[in-house]
Amino acid sequence: MTAAIQDIRARLDAFDARHAPTGLFLRYAQGRVAHFWGRQVMTLLGSAALFMLAGPVPGFMAAVLALAGEIVDCGLLRAAPGLLAGGVDPARLSRLATVTAGFQAATISACIVLAWLGVPDDAATAFAMAFAAGAAINAGLVLPFHRDAALVRLVIYAATLAGLFLFEIMTRGHLSQRALFDLIATGIMGYAIHVFLGFVVAGHRRHTSNSRELLVQSLDLARANTHLKDQQREARNLSLVARHANDSVVMADPDGCIFWVNEAFTRITGYSLQEARGRRPSELLNAPDTDPAVSDGIAAAVAAGRAHRAEILNLRKDGALIWIETNIVPVLDETGVVEMVISIERDISSAKTHEAELAEAKIAAETGERAKASFLATMSHEIRTPMNGIIGMADLLAEAPLDAESRHHVQTIRQSANALLRIINDILEFSRLDAGKPVLHANVFSPCDCIGEALAILKPQARAKGLTLDLLIDGALPDRVMGDDGRLRQILINIVGNAIKFTLHGGVTIRASARSDGDGHRLQFEIEDTGIGIAPDRIPHVFDEFEQADTATTRQFGGTGLGLSISRLLAREMGGDITVHATLGKGSCFTVTLQLATAPDATPPPPDAVPPGLPVLAPRVVLVAEDNRTNRLLVRKYLEHTPLTLLFAENGREAVEMTRRHRPDIVLMDMSMPEMDGLAATRAIRADAPAQPHIVALTANAFASDRAACLAAGMNGFLTKPLRKDDLLRTLAEPPGSAPFPFPAPADLS
Ligand code: ADP
């Protein structure tokens, strides 16, 4: 609120207070007190006249009476402001003032009676009437301020005159001609006083209302003035903001023709206000490559009077292309018709360039990712193929009669080859997990068997190091559960394997327990060893990829630092986790928790993962499609004492032809071969071979995607290289047609 508005508001409040009942009463009181002496002059003159006409006694009595009335009335009125401030009820005080007014009027009436009756021969009736008229006018003047006091006075004066005329008639027995004239004169005077007072009261009311109206109008004017100033200030600020904004501001009429642009527009587009005025932005700025759909969208939004946002390619005055983000806001008048269109535009060229760079970088990253995947697939194949030969031949050599030293050498070759294979498997597994979540394959299995299998694989290592390997089952484990037994085995082999690896004396204890949890079972394994332990500051990092507790560990024990991160990822994917407590030099305890579902009742008991003893083979014709000579030799060696008839093809095309010609029962199909690869050869066989064989992929490519591709091409099974004699025999023992053949997960191969 401005000072002017405050001032007028205060004046209006003061005015209203002055014209409220209490305010009027106070003004009445102040007026009566202020004119006290003026009225006393009249009283003195009247008393002096009576003194001369009626004698000293009536004159003196009139003076005393009039003065007494005034003193009582003014005494109260003088004290009124103080009484009101002291909390006296204003209405009560006003009523009291009416009474003192009546008393004062009565003293004046007494003076009139004295004059009327005290002067002989009716000589003073005119004087008494004039006295009464003067008092009545005096009383009537305060009508607007204290109506009751004024009316009481007027009634008393009128009643006094009426009483005197009545007294005249009663004492004389008739109304004399002179008295009649006096009565008529009194009536005329009374009427004149009535008109006069009416005029005075109406004038006062009019004046009051006009004064108030004037103040209210002044207030409205001051408010309007302030509002106008605010609007001017806002308009000035807005125009400053628009003029100096970093974004360009374009104002156009409803037809889209520009009538104002700011400096930023000139800076961004190169066009000045003069050059832009009267032209449409599309005429001025559209480039040949501007998308017409975007341009039409903007035009349609302007025509429809709706807000719109668009990104559009524009041409600067100097011919350079720029990307503009435009926000169009139509301004409507009170009837809803578009008054003007304001566009706020921003140069987003660098953001667009950045966006394009990001898209390119994303494509490059994806290409890199694809290249990495293909590199890994190739590496896997290239390393596993010779590994197949090394491990296979070492296995065969181990079966041969050897002297102690040669056997030791063969064992070393096998251990080293297996260690190398484990590293390759870890790296491949990790790169696969890195690219996405692990895929879990749910089977019904026995947790006891799964633990037993994992420990059977690790037992020889523990025994070789002179370590104990104990399994304690706390309570009972469920007979059958639903989950990925391969992944559980993988986790156990990794953690128990680590425990054996990092323990030099003592042993490893595995405690297994389970509890029912909702729909399934919560399995917990504690793998505790008496090994080297882990330093407290390294504990949080042992689960990080490629992290080892200390670099000396790598040198002494080997490893890639991937096993734990893979295991924890798998455990978490199976609704559990892996945690560790360890004391440096004393040992470590890894806790694995897993959530496994309850096996459905109808599911048959899990088949034995590994049938005891070597399977018995039926005489069948087996075609081995394999381009690598060593691998062909290996398969021949693995199967040399079996009743199988072996045929060999060196590429896919040969495999297809030989299948047509020899109709083998089983084809062991390498995936990657010259001339025609395994997948194409399988498709060709499935398309038109007269007798359909059972086809098992024989591949160094270990990815799940490879397995899926084999099945999609029409193969029935999948064996990964390095090929194990047992796996091969088991696969060949399956009756043809029982698809799919079971094949081990990468972890089983290690
Ligand atoms: P790797 O064993 O191949 O090095 P892991 O991810 O399996 O990789 O283990 C990471 C590191 O955690 C190991 O290098 C070792 O420093 C530490 N570690 C794991 N298990 C044990 C254990 N039982 N005792 C001591 N240290 C361990």
Side-chain angles (χ1 to χ4, degrees):
M1 216 195 297
T2 64
I5 295 179
Q6 272 176 342
D7 179 44
I8 299 173
R9 249 256 73 100
R11 277 159 57 201
L12 188 61
D13 289 346
F15 181 91
D16 286 342
R18 273 157 51 78
H19 290 83
T22 308
L24 286 172
F25 171 71
L26 278 172
R27 287 168 68 198
Y28 160 75
Q30 278 160 7
R32 290 288 304 177
V33 172
H35 296 111
F36 175 83
W37 291 112
R39 286 196 304 278
Q40 299 329 303
V41 173
M42 294 294 297
T43 309
L44 208 65
L45 286 177
S47 306
L50 260 185
F51 188 89
M52 286 185 292
L53 294 173
V57 176
F60 182 71
M61 274 177 68
V64 169
L65 275 172
L67 208 58
E70 282 286 0
I71 286 171
V72 169
D73 189 37
C74 281
L76 176 75
L77 296 178
R78 207 182 145 86
L83 291 171
L84 283 176
V88 174
D89 177 21
R92 224 178 118 221
L93 199 60
S94 171
R95 280 197 298 277
L96 204 61
T98 307
V99 173
T100 57
F103 175 70
Q104 188 262 334
T107 58
I108 298 296
S109 290
C111 295
I112 294 167
V113 172
L114 275 177
W116 187 286
L117 301 178
V119 182
D121 303 331
D122 307 327
T125 45
F127 171 80
M129 279 158 53
F131 205 101
I137 289 171
N138 201 292
L141 285 178
V142 297
L143 259 171
F145 302 96
H146 198 318
R147 191 178 162 75
D148 290 353
L151 287 179
V152 160
R153 284 193 173 99
L154 290 172
V155 167
I156 288 175
Y157 298 146
T160 305
L161 287 181
L164 285 172
F165 278 110
L166 209 61
F167 178 74
E168 186 80 12
I169 295 166
M170 279 165 57
T171 49
R172 297 189 187 218
H174 69 282
L175 191 63
S176 67
Q177 198 181 22
R178 201 195 55 80
L180 189 61
F181 276 117
D182 283 347
L183 185 61
I184 291 168
T186 305
I188 291 169
M189 215 161 56
Y191 177 70
I193 290 170
H194 170 74
V195 171
F196 171 72
L197 289 181
F199 179 75
V200 167
V201 170
H204 181 269
R205 201 172 289 144
R206 222 173 15 253
H207 173 74
T208 305
S209 142
N210 287 346
S211 301
R212 190 170 196 285
E213 187 64 15
L214 208 64
L215 278 171
V216 169
Q217 280 174 358
S218 304
L219 189 62
D220 289 347
L221 201 66
R223 280 183 181 143
N225 202 14
T226 309
H227 186 56
L228 199 67
K229 276 188 187 154
D230 287 349
Q231 278 186 333
Q232 278 174 345
R233 196 174 313 115
E234 195 181 346
R236 202 171 50 245
N237 288 345
L238 282 177
S239 95
L240 277 175
V241 169
R243 193 178 301 279
H244 299 295
N246 258 344
D247 292 340
S248 81
V249 179
V250 179
M251 291 170 126
D253 62 23
D255 294 332
C257 294
I258 297 171
F259 64 82
W260 188 83
V261 294
N262 67 350
E263 288 159 12
F265 177 86
T266 307
R267 196 171 58 243
I268 292 171
T269 66
Y271 290 104
S272 68
L273 172 58
Q274 287 71 26
E275 289 167 318
R277 188 175 282 146
R279 302 181 66 186
R280 290 197 172 82
S282 54
E283 293 165 23
L284 198 64
L285 299 169
N286 275 15
D289 289 342
T290 300
D291 185 349
V294 178
S295 188
D296 293 350
I298 294 175
V302 171
R306 66 182 148 74
H308 188 67
R309 181 197 162 276
E311 289 179 5
I312 188 164
L313 186 67
N314 277 180
L315 194 63
R316 277 176 55 92
K317 190 180 169 188
D318 61 9
L321 286 171
I322 42 169
W323 273 98
I324 293 291
E325 181 196 330
T326 178
N327 283 287
I328 294 161
V329 188
V331 179
L332 309 181
D333 66 12
E334 340 38 273
T335 58
V337 175
V338 179
E339 206 172 4
M340 66 167 126
V341 179
I342 299 179
S343 314
I344 296 160
E345 306 190 333
R346 175 169 296 185
D347 182 354
I348 53 164
S349 304
S350 55
K352 279 276 176 191
T353 314
H354 189 56
E355 202 176 286
E357 282 169 2
L358 273 181
E360 269 173 34
K362 185 169 174 268
I363 291 169
E366 281 167 1
T367 313
E369 202 49 49
R370 269 198 300 278
K372 182 178 144 197
S374 115
F375 170 76
L376 282 168
T378 313
M379 283 294 290
S380 157
H381 181 265
E382 294 306 318
I383 298 173
R384 276 165 182 267
T385 303
M387 288 297 290
N388 193 31
I390 297 169
I391 294 177
M393 288 303 168
D395 284 352
L396 286 176
L397 209 54
E399 286 174 11
L402 295 173
D403 60 49
E405 192 180 353
S406 301
R407 182 163 299 283
H408 177 72
H409 291 165
V410 169
Q411 283 306 359
T412 311
I413 295 171
R414 290 176 79 191
Q415 279 165 6
S416 306
N418 280 328
L420 183 57
L421 195 62
R422 219 175 1 256
I423 292 171
I424 295 166
N425 282 340
D426 273 0
I427 292 176
L428 283 177
E429 171 90 90
F430 179 72
S431 66
R432 252 181 308 169
L433 295 182
D434 202 27
K437 284 185 166 191
V439 179
L440 300 178
H441 300 281
N443 310 302
V444 173
F445 71 97
S446 150
C448 266
D449 289 353
C450 184
I451 303 167
E453 285 154 27
L455 297 191
I457 291 170
L458 297 166
K459 214 165 243 164
Q461 290 175 27
R463 201 178 305 126
K465 290 181 79 173
L467 302 175
T468 56
L469 184 61
D470 300 322
L471 171 64
L472 305 175
I473 296 187
D474 188 1
L477 293 185
D479 284 347
R480 300 178 321 137
V481 292
M482 186 82 171
D484 192 330
D485 54 335
R487 295 302 199 181
L488 172 56
R489 209 167 18 247
Q490 185 180 352
I491 295 172
L492 290 175
I493 288 175
N494 179 41
I495 298 200
V496 179
N498 271 348
I500 296 169
K501 182 163 81 171
F502 294 109
T503 304
L504 301 173
H505 310 286
V508 178
T509 307
I510 298 110
R511 276 185 295 277
S513 63
R515 64 180 162 83
S516 285
D517 182 4
D519 284 348
H521 306 274
R522 192 130 192 107
L523 261 61
Q524 178 166 311
F525 302 93
E526 282 173 21
I527 297 106
E528 191 168 9
D529 62 54
T530 54
I532 61 171
I534 306 170
D537 62 324
R538 296 307 300 162
I539 287 181
H541 301 290
V542 294
F543 292 101
D544 295 347
E545 298 117 32
F546 301 107
E547 280 288 337
Q548 297 185 314
D550 66 272
T551 39
T553 311
T554 328
R555 282 196 298 276
Q556 194 185 345
F557 300 96
T560 56
L562 284 174
L564 283 181
S565 48
I566 293 171
S567 298
R568 189 166 70 169
L569 225 133
L570 292 173
R572 286 184 174 172
E573 200 54 31
M574 292 165 88
D577 205 352
I578 303 182
T579 52
V580 59
H581 298 287
T583 313
L584 192 61
K586 291 211 164 142
S588 314
C589 180
F590 284 78
T591 306
V592 181
T593 50
L594 296 174
Q595 182 69 30
L596 294 169
T598 306
D601 287 343
T603 314
D608 285 344
V610 185
L614 279 181
V616 180
L617 298 179
R620 293 182 197 282
V621 177
V622 178
L623 171 65
V624 183
E626 167 64 79
D627 62 322
N628 185 289
R629 207 167 57 86
T630 314
N631 288 343
R632 286 201 301 272
L633 175 66
L634 187 67
V635 175
R636 191 191 299 281
K637 285 284 180 193
Y638 277 166
L639 302 178
E640 69 186 348
H641 300 300
T642 62
L644 301 172
T645 308
L646 296 180
L647 302 170
F648 290 93
E650 295 186 14
N651 61 51
R653 192 171 310 285
E654 222 177 287
V656 176
E657 278 163 19
M658 288 181 74
T659 306
R660 283 201 192 116
R661 220 171 327 128
H662 301 289
R663 303 187 177 199
D665 299 300
I666 300 170
V667 178
L668 296 179
M669 183 76 82
D670 186 25
M671 290 272 276
S672 120
M673 288 184 289
E675 289 194 43
M676 185 186 267
D677 67 19
L679 292 177
T682 304
R683 277 193 287 270
I685 292 168
R686 289 294 181 230
D688 67 352
Q692 288 295 330
H694 189 87
I695 305 178
V696 177
L698 191 62
T699 176
N701 296 339
F703 289 117
S705 56
D706 299 316
R707 177 169 130 169
C710 291
L711 295 178
M715 296 190 186
N716 307 91
F718 188 96
L719 275 174
T720 42
K721 292 176 185 174
L723 195 57
R724 288 293 161 83
K725 187 176 176 182
D726 288 1
D727 295 334
L728 179 62
L729 292 179
R730 248 197 313 275
T731 301
L732 294 175
E734 293 287 342
S738 64
F741 270 33
F743 46 89
D748 298 316
L749 297 169
S750 54

